[in-house]
Amino acid sequence: MSDFQLFIDGRFRDAESGETFQSINPATGEAIGTVAKAGAEDAARAIDAARAAFDDHRWSGRRGSDRGRVLAAIAKGIKERAPELTELESRDSGATLAKAKADVGGAGFWFRVMGEYAARLDDPEPLPQTIAPGPSYNYVKRDPVGVCTAIIPWNFPLQMASWKLSMALAAGNSVVLKPAEETPCSATVLAEIIRDAGVPQGVCNVIQGPGPVTGEELITNPSVDKVAFTGSTEVGKHIMKLAANTVKKTTLELGGKCPQIVLDDADPELAVDGAIYGAFFHQGQVCTAGSRLLVPDAIHDEFVGRLLERVATMRVGLPTEKGTTTGPVVSQKQLDTVLNYIEIGQKEGATLAAGGQRVTDGELENGFFVAPTVFTDVTADMTIAQEEIFGPVVTVLRYSDDEDAVRIANGTVYGLAAGVWGSPARAMKLADRLQAGTVWINEYHLLNPHYPFGGYKQSGIGREHGYLGLLEYTEAKHVHLGVDNRRSTKRWFDGTIPQPR
Ligand code: NAP
Ligand code: MG
């Protein structure tokens, strides 16, 4: 029996094939446990279970307020098991304990708030009334979409699982979740919590397995109605093509190369600390990482001086150690990717002003640690200013005036988020012109279950979170109720078709 099993149709089980894989602690390179490795047949079985559960209305037929109570119990279950989840998440993903703790708190917060929103779905939304050709009452009712599948990455494993599951379940769908293979563990614990909170058998399924096999079944199986994906833009494009064959509803949360614009009237202390948090939080492995720091000519040298002073105080260390600011990146593969980008940056002529190397001191010997890295003299066309690195690397770009800042900020294929550090009135003017799903002014990385989140351009399709995000897990059904039912009031009376007014 594997340490972390699949959860299909209300039961924990190993893969049909009996195959397993190991999950690695990126801080030490050691295995933390065996995980059942789902194949396409396990994915199909989970989808069948979700389909049956949806079609007999055991969850989809309940009132939103009732589902909301179950989601609140999930939030409570997460809170009760928070210490265990925090420790597991940190070991599996390399998150510092502080980050893992915040993630676990966030997971519960999402279930609680989505549970509250669920009740809102019970009330039909009235539409403006028309009286021609006869009086009627019109409203929109929100139905669940059906069987949803969710595929998530490794940077926020428990949070991401909780985002997707809380929205899908709140709206009354059945769901099959596939975590990333690098971070498969916490989802198994979450499945237990969801079962214990009273979500009926088959409604929620969790299967760990490889994207190209298990993941593709979740996208191509005709019994699936909606795919919700978070991951790279490259895989997102592939998923969109696969989903097209059966016209599945698809929401995509993809990559980013987010700008942080520092205005010359910014509070320097706030902007430096904020920019560091924006760029280096979780080793820069965040889709909203503010990896392009746009600094005006007028304050460039002074700002960069302060930035480098602060970066020099950052502590690379074991995620479990107090005071660690920079833990490992998630895998050997990610380590290689990040180091390769650092090499490209140097070859392209950017100045390596801090970091740039793997760290292997003492206990860090077998982990995947990279020193916080700053490139200056970066131009907007360089690879390191265009491509998502997903590591602790920030590129500093100069700009002349606000116009120039907007042009550089919008000058990538991405449009996920942006930050502006400076006086509110000026920053809000800039915000109007930024192509980004979220603009933080004098703040960064602030996500909340009430705030919609998603990407412009190639950063994705659709929104998650907030009531807007929840609606992505529903179908809108317009109902027209004729009130005056004399034949003469109908638009088709006498064979004439009056134009609607
Ligand atoms: P990824 O390679 O795109 O993988 C994401 C997920 O997709 C994993 O579960 C992966 O499974 C699965 N997958 C891979 N190939 C697949 C296929 N052919 N069919 C179906 N599923 C497939 O991304 P990642 O490297 O894990 O994560 C980093 C990326 O995610 C970055 O680009 C980042 O910006 C993006 N991201 C975006 C957001 C957002 O909200 N916009 C949030 C976080 C991360 P396996 O890995 O298990 O094979
Ligand atoms: Mg792991």
Side-chain angles (χ1 to χ4, degrees):
M1 197 178 93
S2 51
D3 302 319
F4 298 91
Q5 293 186 296
L6 315 176
F7 183 63
I8 300 176
D9 204 12
R11 272 188 52 210
F12 284 95
R13 60 206 311 164
D14 283 329
E16 190 81 28
S17 66
E19 279 188 68
T20 59
F21 65 101
Q22 293 194 319
S23 194
I24 302 296
N25 178 343
T28 61
E30 285 162 9
I32 67 170
T34 56
V35 185
K37 184 176 178 180
E41 61 285 359
D42 300 292
R45 187 189 275 204
I47 292 165
D48 287 347
R51 185 79 261 165
F54 187 80
D55 290 346
D56 73 10
H57 311 297
R58 68 186 82 156
W59 180 251
S60 51
R62 281 160 75 165
R63 287 182 61 76
S65 53
D66 184 19
R67 293 194 301 263
R69 278 189 283 277
V70 179
L71 264 68
I74 297 172
K76 191 159 164 270
I78 291 173
K79 199 168 180 186
E80 280 163 11
R81 295 181 71 173
E84 172 198 352
L85 276 167
T86 302
E87 196 263 342
L88 179 62
E89 189 79 334
S90 170
R91 274 200 299 147
D92 198 17
S93 69
T96 59
L97 281 177
K99 190 241 179 208
K101 194 172 171 203
D103 284 0
V104 174
F109 189 19
W110 250 262
F111 275 104
R112 185 164 60 69
V113 171
M114 286 303 150
E116 287 161 11
Y117 278 134
R120 224 164 121 176
L121 298 172
D122 289 335
D123 298 324
E125 300 157 32
L127 291 167
Q129 298 308 312
T130 54
I131 52 162
S136 63
Y137 178 66
N138 291 268
Y139 60 90
V140 168
K141 182 177 174 296
R142 299 284 175 174
D143 284 340
V145 179
V147 174
C148 299
T149 57
I151 300 175
I152 56 170
W154 40 257
N155 53 349
F156 288 78
L158 180 71
Q159 280 246 43
M160 213 73 84
S162 300
W163 294 352
K164 298 267 191 281
L165 295 180
S166 64
M167 286 183 280
L169 294 173
N173 300 283
S174 293
V175 60
V176 183
L177 170 81
K178 190 200 92 61
E181 280 163 294
E182 280 93 344
T183 53
C185 300
S186 56
T188 296
V189 179
L190 182 60
E192 257 172 43
I193 293 170
I194 287 173
R195 177 197 61 188
D196 296 346
V199 171
Q201 178 182 345
V203 170
C204 180
N205 305 271
V206 175
I207 54 169
Q208 289 86 344
V213 181
T214 321
E216 294 211 2
E217 180 66 23
L218 297 183
I219 305 155
T220 53
N221 189 304
S223 292
V224 173
D225 301 295
K226 174 188 161 91
V227 179
F229 172 75
T230 299
S232 61
T233 294
E234 191 192 343
V235 175
K237 288 177 185 173
H238 177 64
I239 285 179
M240 211 172 154
K241 285 183 200 151
L242 289 180
N245 289 328
T246 41
V247 196
K248 292 192 200 319
K249 311 268 171 283
T250 309
T251 42
L252 304 171
E253 299 287 356
L254 308 177
K257 187 74 184 174
C258 305
Q260 297 193 69
I261 303 173
V262 180
L263 298 179
D264 56 16
D265 60 13
D267 169 349
E269 292 292 323
L270 181 79
V272 167
D273 281 358
I276 285 177
Y277 172 60
F280 293 118
F281 173 56
H282 196 39
Q283 296 75 260
Q285 304 169 114
V286 187
C287 50
T288 52
S291 55
R292 290 185 297 146
L293 195 51
L294 276 55
V295 183
D297 290 330
I299 60 163
H300 178 274
D301 294 354
E302 190 200 332
F303 187 87
V304 169
R306 279 177 190 263
L307 179 79
L308 294 174
E309 264 173 38
R310 274 289 283 111
V311 168
T313 68
M314 291 177 73
R315 260 216 358 241
V316 182
L318 291 175
T320 43
E321 236 161 57
K322 237 185 156 172
T324 292
T325 59
T326 310
V329 296
V330 77
S331 62
Q332 177 71 50
K333 184 168 157 243
Q334 195 59 18
L335 175 70
D336 295 343
T337 303
V338 174
L339 295 176
N340 186 44
Y341 272 115
I342 292 171
E343 213 179 301
I344 291 172
Q346 288 171 285
K347 279 195 189 135
E348 283 186 328
T351 304
L352 182 63
Q357 77 286 6
R358 179 177 183 178
V359 181
T360 51
D361 307 340
E363 290 173 308
L364 310 187
E365 192 184 357
N366 298 315
F368 314 126
F369 296 86
V370 181
T373 298
V374 180
F375 274 110
T376 55
D377 303 312
V378 178
T379 54
D381 58 339
M382 286 181 185
T383 307
I384 54 166
Q386 287 292 325
E387 295 185 12
E388 185 177 44
I389 298 175
F390 233 55
V393 181
V394 68
T395 55
V396 182
L397 295 100
R398 307 177 76 109
Y399 70 86
S400 53
D401 54 20
D402 290 10
E403 193 66 31
D404 196 31
V406 169
R407 186 184 57 77
I408 297 171
N410 289 339
T412 73
V413 297
Y414 297 112
L416 190 61
V420 186
W421 301 96
S423 67
R426 208 169 133 203
M428 281 162 71
K429 269 198 188 130
L430 249 70
D432 281 348
R433 300 179 55 205
L434 293 172
Q435 297 164 333
T438 298
V439 179
W440 288 294
I441 297 174
N442 296 326
E443 186 49 274
Y444 210 84
H445 286 317
L446 193 138
L447 266 64
N448 180 292
H450 294 291
Y451 306 157
F453 175 74
Y456 280 36
K457 301 194 281 184
Q458 292 189 28
S459 286
I461 297 179
R463 291 293 178 271
E464 290 197 302
H465 320 321
Y467 194 57
L468 271 182
L470 181 60
L471 293 184
E472 302 266 8
Y473 286 82
T474 68
E475 290 279 18
K477 179 185 284 166
H478 165 219
V479 178
H480 170 103
L481 171 67
V483 175
D484 184 349
N485 290 325
R486 287 168 302 159
R487 237 180 115 247
S488 61
T489 66
K490 302 302 176 190
R491 63 202 297 254
W492 31 266
F493 179 64
D494 274 354
T496 56
I497 308 285
Q499 291 301 311
R501 267 184 268 152

